[in-house]
Amino acid sequence: MSDGTHSLAMSPIFPGSTDAAGQRATLGVLGGGQLGRMFVHAAQRLGYFTAVLEPDAQSPAGLVSHHHIQTRYDDPAGLAQLAQLCQAITTEFENVPAQALQTLALTCPVAPGAAVVGIAQDRIEEKAHFTAGSDLSGVACAPYAVIETPAQLQAIQNDRDDLLPGILKTARMGYDGKGQVRVKTAAELAAAWAELGSVACVLEKMLPLMAECSVLVARGWDGQAVSYAPQRNVHVDGILAVTHAYEGNMPPTLATRARNAAVSLAQQLGYVGVLCVEFFVVEGDDEHGDLVVNEMAPRPHNSGHYTLDACNVSQFDLQVHAMAGLPLPLPRQHSPAIMLNLLGEVWFDGNGQRREPDWHAVLSLPGTHLHLYGKAEARAGRKMGHLTITGPDVASVKTTARRAAGLLGLPGLDAI
């Protein structure tokens, strides 16, 4: 399939160039969070002007961009202003209204397009796409069933007990563990569906989980695709806590399968931009386990932040190159890395009192790279920044990561 983006994007947009009216080449982004901020930094480093459409006056991306259009994502006047300013537009989160992307694509190249973002916004469509493409990708999703009506719920209760125990997930607007309920019995399933508001859901069979990983793929308008080796991820309470990015972080055969599957899925979508595909490693026929595809994010991803410090080109650099029609550099990781997610809890002590983390001690450790996102208020569960640790070898990186995690009181320490 094609992602339905505007054909104008086949002409490269060169950094530092100007149009006939003297307007500087400008790249736009819908959304003002930290992913948008890091995209803006990458675009500006190359020489582009940037524009952010985001309602929050103090958004991380809006604060550092050349232009900040402070409107709702579906505001017609704001979208028209963004399209007038920009030569190409992307998004930094998947829940941007797909209609907004369709509107922008009428007059400006948009990458990724509304069609593929729409698939990622709906677990029912997403799983249908994974299933349809599994012969080509070589990786299927976990067994599942759709629940949109009481009759479908009843049918599962009567005939699909093989899906229990399972995880009931809302089809839309679920992220970081939200909109998910674990269920063991038919009665728990019915109660959970009611608890979630009887909205469209997917019941996914719970498989014996060994690990989680993700793969980042960048694909250009011309079909060129490049990818990073898989990252192994550790989640705590549904939120990414630790990313392991180094050779040997997972069995080589599984790593190759995951990477090939992610590229295949991007090609099947006709995707343009950076795509993250998340996988589960589950118990299989041998000690290394098997792969199932979990979900995809049509944007750079938290698990890829290590690329800023450990690779020759970051995921945000590739996002800029892809949407602007520039050649895609082949990613090369020059240092093993571990990324620690910094949530709002880091800014509070054991008694709940606000305190500043001991950055002096943390940054005294070798190979530490601190990235804070410019958010004024720390709250529990809020992504405030990340810390990447790089080093000459995996052992030294793990040692430093343990020390940093201990200083900051970070979870997931036992998995480092």
Side-chain angles (χ1 to χ4, degrees):
M1 65 172 288
S2 167
D3 70 355
T5 44
H6 200 279
S7 60
L8 288 176
M10 295 307 296
S11 300
I13 304 159
F14 295 112
S17 61
T18 58
D19 62 16
Q23 179 172 304
R24 297 285 295 273
T26 302
L27 303 181
V29 58
L30 281 171
Q34 63 267 18
L35 297 178
R37 181 186 181 96
M38 288 180 271
F39 163 79
V40 165
H41 285 322
Q44 290 175 349
R45 188 171 59 253
L46 268 176
Y48 293 101
F49 273 37
T50 58
V52 171
L53 190 150
E54 161 63 46
D56 182 1
Q58 299 299 313
S59 70
L63 289 173
V64 299
S65 183
H66 294 91
H67 306 280
H68 179 191
I69 302 169
Q70 192 182 339
T71 66
R72 301 187 320 275
Y73 303 124
D74 58 356
D75 178 70
L79 293 172
Q81 184 181 356
L82 185 67
Q84 190 277 327
L85 280 171
C86 298
Q87 281 70 57
I89 296 169
T90 189
T91 178
E92 65 119 31
F93 71 117
E94 58 266 46
N95 288 324
V96 64
Q99 182 59 51
L101 297 175
Q102 291 177 333
T103 299
L104 290 166
L106 296 174
T107 56
C108 184
V110 175
V116 293
V117 173
I119 292 173
Q121 288 176 343
D122 190 312
R123 281 195 172 95
I124 296 173
E125 290 191 36
E126 184 180 59
K127 288 189 178 296
H129 176 76
F130 289 157
T131 301
S134 60
D135 286 345
L136 289 175
S137 71
V139 179
C141 52
Y144 74 97
V146 174
I147 302 177
E148 296 178 291
T149 67
Q152 288 174 318
L153 172 65
Q154 188 64 49
I156 292 172
Q157 290 176 311
N158 292 341
D159 303 318
R160 293 300 308 274
D161 59 355
D162 60 303
L163 294 176
L164 296 171
I167 305 177
L168 186 67
K169 303 178 179 181
T170 56
R172 302 182 68 86
M173 302 302 288
Y175 62 95
D176 287 344
K178 298 179 176 65
Q180 301 185 16
V181 181
R182 297 189 177 205
V183 293
K184 295 180 181 178
T185 66
E188 288 183 4
L189 173 61
W193 192 51
E195 177 187 333
L196 293 173
S198 300
V199 298
C201 287
V202 168
L203 175 64
E204 184 177 296
K205 181 178 179 62
M206 195 179 300
L207 300 175
L209 183 65
M210 298 175 66
E212 299 178 59
C213 70
S214 56
V215 176
L216 292 157
V217 178
R219 185 178 181 275
W221 300 96
D222 60 358
Q224 179 195 6
V226 298
S227 64
Y228 295 90
Q231 304 86 232
R232 180 165 58 86
N233 303 317
V234 177
H235 291 78
V236 175
D237 297 329
I239 301 177
L240 181 65
V242 183
T243 292
H244 299 258
Y246 45 80
E247 188 174 354
N249 64 353
M250 58 187 297
T253 53
L254 289 183
T256 299
R257 282 187 62 201
R259 195 168 186 173
N260 291 342
V263 172
S264 174
L265 289 167
Q267 296 286 18
Q268 290 175 47
L269 287 164
Y271 192 87
V272 178
V274 170
L275 176 73
C276 180
V277 184
E278 297 181 65
F279 300 89
F280 292 143
V281 180
V282 299
E283 292 182 4
D285 294 334
D286 61 43
E287 60 179 346
H288 297 315
D290 199 2
L291 277 180
V292 296
V293 58
N294 177 33
E295 60 187 21
M296 62 183 179
R299 52 169 174 76
H301 194 261
N302 200 171
S303 66
H305 290 342
Y306 76 93
T307 62
L308 288 161
D309 303 300
C311 299
N312 64 319
V313 59
S314 79
Q315 61 173 338
F316 302 99
D317 296 325
L318 290 179
Q319 184 183 25
V320 173
H321 277 247
M323 68 183 294
L326 302 179
L328 297 180
L330 186 66
R332 177 181 58 82
Q333 186 168 347
H334 53 71
S335 303
I338 290 176
M339 191 278 294
L340 304 176
N341 216 8
L342 303 178
L343 303 182
E345 288 88 338
V346 172
W347 277 258
F348 295 88
D349 64 21
N351 297 318
Q353 297 299 309
R354 181 76 159 76
R355 58 94 189 265
E356 196 66 21
D358 190 353
W359 298 128
H360 185 276
V362 170
L363 295 176
S364 295
L365 299 174
T368 51
H369 310 266
L370 178 64
H371 299 261
L372 297 183
Y373 302 149
K375 298 179 181 180
E377 182 186 359
R379 298 193 301 268
R382 190 181 197 193
K383 294 174 183 175
M384 299 294 293
H386 68 271
L387 182 74
T388 301
I389 297 93
T390 60
D393 54 67
V394 174
S396 63
V397 168
K398 287 185 175 182
T399 297
T400 302
R402 290 190 189 97
R403 293 175 64 186
L407 286 167
L408 296 170
L410 297 176
L413 181 63
D414 56 344
I416 297 176

